[in-house]
Short mmCIF file of all heavy atoms in Angstrom, two decimals:
data_model
loop_
_atom_site.label_atom_id
_atom_site.label_comp_id
_atom_site.label_asym_id
_atom_site.label_seq_id
_atom_site.Cartn_x
_atom_site.Cartn_y
_atom_site.Cartn_z
N PHE A 23 33.09 -8.56 10.93
CA PHE A 23 32.92 -9.23 12.27
C PHE A 23 33.95 -10.34 12.37
O PHE A 23 34.23 -11.08 11.39
CB PHE A 23 31.52 -9.86 12.33
CG PHE A 23 30.93 -9.66 13.82
CD1 PHE A 23 30.23 -8.56 14.12
CD2 PHE A 23 31.35 -10.66 14.75
CE1 PHE A 23 29.73 -8.45 15.46
CE2 PHE A 23 30.75 -10.51 15.99
CZ PHE A 23 30.01 -9.38 16.29
N TYR A 35 24.27 -4.30 19.17
CA TYR A 35 24.52 -5.12 20.33
C TYR A 35 23.36 -4.90 21.29
O TYR A 35 23.33 -3.83 21.94
CB TYR A 35 25.93 -4.80 21.00
CG TYR A 35 26.98 -4.66 19.93
CD1 TYR A 35 27.46 -3.41 19.65
CD2 TYR A 35 27.47 -5.79 19.27
CE1 TYR A 35 28.44 -3.16 18.60
CE2 TYR A 35 28.38 -5.57 18.19
CZ TYR A 35 28.90 -4.28 17.96
OH TYR A 35 29.85 -4.07 16.93
N HIS A 79 25.87 -15.11 26.97
CA HIS A 79 26.89 -15.45 26.09
C HIS A 79 28.20 -14.60 26.42
O HIS A 79 28.04 -13.44 26.62
CB HIS A 79 26.50 -15.29 24.67
CG HIS A 79 27.41 -15.50 23.65
ND1 HIS A 79 28.44 -16.39 23.77
CD2 HIS A 79 27.40 -15.19 22.26
CE1 HIS A 79 29.13 -16.48 22.52
NE2 HIS A 79 28.53 -15.69 21.66
N GLU A 81 30.91 -14.06 24.71
CA GLU A 81 31.66 -13.40 23.67
C GLU A 81 31.67 -11.90 23.96
O GLU A 81 30.68 -11.28 24.35
CB GLU A 81 31.20 -13.80 22.22
CG GLU A 81 32.11 -13.32 21.08
CD GLU A 81 31.92 -13.81 19.80
OE1 GLU A 81 30.90 -14.56 19.58
OE2 GLU A 81 32.66 -13.57 18.88
N GLN A 82 32.72 -11.32 23.54
CA GLN A 82 33.10 -9.91 24.00
C GLN A 82 32.03 -8.88 23.44
O GLN A 82 31.81 -7.84 24.03
CB GLN A 82 34.45 -9.46 23.63
CG GLN A 82 35.53 -10.23 24.40
CD GLN A 82 35.95 -11.42 23.84
OE1 GLN A 82 35.25 -12.13 23.06
NE2 GLN A 82 37.22 -11.90 24.04
N ASP A 83 31.30 -9.20 22.31
CA ASP A 83 30.40 -8.23 21.79
C ASP A 83 29.22 -8.12 22.71
O ASP A 83 28.37 -7.24 22.58
CB ASP A 83 29.99 -8.59 20.37
CG ASP A 83 29.51 -9.96 20.11
OD1 ASP A 83 30.03 -10.87 20.85
OD2 ASP A 83 28.77 -10.19 19.21
N HIS A 84 29.03 -9.08 23.63
CA HIS A 84 27.94 -9.08 24.63
C HIS A 84 28.34 -8.89 26.13
O HIS A 84 27.62 -8.45 26.95
CB HIS A 84 27.10 -10.25 24.47
CG HIS A 84 26.64 -10.59 23.08
ND1 HIS A 84 25.90 -9.67 22.35
CD2 HIS A 84 27.01 -11.52 22.17
CE1 HIS A 84 25.82 -10.11 21.09
NE2 HIS A 84 26.49 -11.26 21.02
N VAL A 145 25.28 -22.25 20.52
CA VAL A 145 24.74 -21.25 19.72
C VAL A 145 25.13 -19.86 20.16
O VAL A 145 24.28 -19.25 20.55
CB VAL A 145 23.24 -21.42 19.50
CG1 VAL A 145 22.81 -22.50 18.64
CG2 VAL A 145 22.56 -21.52 20.93
N HIS A 146 26.38 -19.52 20.26
CA HIS A 146 27.41 -19.86 19.30
C HIS A 146 28.62 -20.45 19.99
O HIS A 146 29.39 -21.16 19.25
CB HIS A 146 27.61 -18.51 18.64
CG HIS A 146 28.81 -18.12 18.03
ND1 HIS A 146 29.37 -16.79 18.13
CD2 HIS A 146 29.63 -18.70 17.14
CE1 HIS A 146 30.39 -16.69 17.45
NE2 HIS A 146 30.59 -17.79 16.80
N TRP A 147 28.83 -20.32 21.22
CA TRP A 147 29.97 -20.82 21.95
C TRP A 147 29.37 -21.99 22.90
O TRP A 147 28.26 -22.14 23.04
CB TRP A 147 30.67 -19.79 22.72
CG TRP A 147 31.58 -18.87 22.04
CD1 TRP A 147 31.77 -18.80 20.61
CD2 TRP A 147 32.37 -17.84 22.48
NE1 TRP A 147 32.68 -17.81 20.28
CE2 TRP A 147 33.10 -17.19 21.41
CE3 TRP A 147 32.67 -17.40 23.82
CZ2 TRP A 147 34.05 -16.12 21.68
CZ3 TRP A 147 33.59 -16.31 24.09
CH2 TRP A 147 34.29 -15.68 23.00
N THR A 150 26.68 -20.97 25.79
CA THR A 150 25.54 -20.16 25.56
C THR A 150 24.25 -20.66 26.28
O THR A 150 24.05 -21.76 26.30
CB THR A 150 25.28 -20.03 24.03
OG1 THR A 150 25.46 -21.31 23.46
CG2 THR A 150 26.25 -18.96 23.49
N CYS A 164 19.94 -14.26 22.94
CA CYS A 164 21.30 -13.85 22.60
C CYS A 164 21.60 -14.13 21.11
O CYS A 164 20.81 -13.66 20.30
CB CYS A 164 22.24 -14.67 23.45
SG CYS A 164 23.90 -13.83 23.59
N ASP A 165 22.66 -14.78 20.72
CA ASP A 165 22.95 -14.78 19.34
C ASP A 165 21.96 -15.48 18.44
O ASP A 165 21.76 -15.13 17.27
CB ASP A 165 24.34 -15.61 19.10
CG ASP A 165 25.53 -14.63 19.23
OD1 ASP A 165 25.47 -13.46 19.39
OD2 ASP A 165 26.66 -15.22 19.28
N HIS A 170 22.71 -9.21 11.64
CA HIS A 170 23.51 -8.08 11.70
C HIS A 170 22.92 -7.03 10.92
O HIS A 170 23.04 -6.91 9.67
CB HIS A 170 24.94 -8.45 11.18
CG HIS A 170 25.74 -9.27 12.15
ND1 HIS A 170 25.92 -8.97 13.39
CD2 HIS A 170 26.38 -10.44 11.90
CE1 HIS A 170 26.63 -9.74 14.00
NE2 HIS A 170 27.05 -10.62 13.14
N TYR A 191 23.27 -14.13 8.44
CA TYR A 191 23.62 -14.30 9.77
C TYR A 191 23.61 -15.76 10.12
O TYR A 191 24.61 -16.41 10.65
CB TYR A 191 22.77 -13.38 10.66
CG TYR A 191 22.99 -13.51 12.26
CD1 TYR A 191 23.78 -12.64 12.82
CD2 TYR A 191 22.48 -14.56 12.88
CE1 TYR A 191 24.00 -12.61 14.19
CE2 TYR A 191 22.62 -14.64 14.29
CZ TYR A 191 23.45 -13.66 14.96
OH TYR A 191 23.62 -13.84 16.32
N ILE A 195 27.04 -17.75 11.05
CA ILE A 195 27.27 -17.88 12.41
C ILE A 195 26.49 -19.18 12.96
O ILE A 195 27.21 -19.84 13.80
CB ILE A 195 26.72 -16.66 13.15
CG1 ILE A 195 27.55 -15.54 12.80
CG2 ILE A 195 26.80 -16.86 14.76
CD1 ILE A 195 26.95 -14.18 13.16
N SER A 221 20.32 -10.76 20.50
CA SER A 221 21.36 -9.82 20.97
C SER A 221 21.86 -9.10 19.74
O SER A 221 22.85 -8.20 19.86
CB SER A 221 22.43 -10.52 21.80
OG SER A 221 22.96 -11.54 20.90
N HIS A 222 21.49 -9.40 18.53
CA HIS A 222 21.84 -8.60 17.29
C HIS A 222 20.53 -8.41 16.56
O HIS A 222 19.73 -9.40 16.33
CB HIS A 222 22.77 -9.40 16.45
CG HIS A 222 24.13 -9.58 17.02
ND1 HIS A 222 25.16 -8.60 17.29
CD2 HIS A 222 24.68 -10.73 17.42
CE1 HIS A 222 26.21 -9.14 17.78
NE2 HIS A 222 25.93 -10.46 17.94
FE1 FEO B 1 27.29 -11.92 19.09
FE2 FEO B 1 28.73 -14.93 19.57
O1 FEO B 1 28.57 -13.11 19.73
#
Side-chain angles (χ1 to χ4, degrees):
F23 216 94
Y35 315 108
H79 180 20
E81 190 166 8
Q82 290 88 334
D83 52 330
H84 310 295
V145 285
H146 150 225
W147 282 7
T150 42
C164 203
D165 275 352
H170 284 312
Y191 179 97
I195 296 164
S221 57
H222 296 288

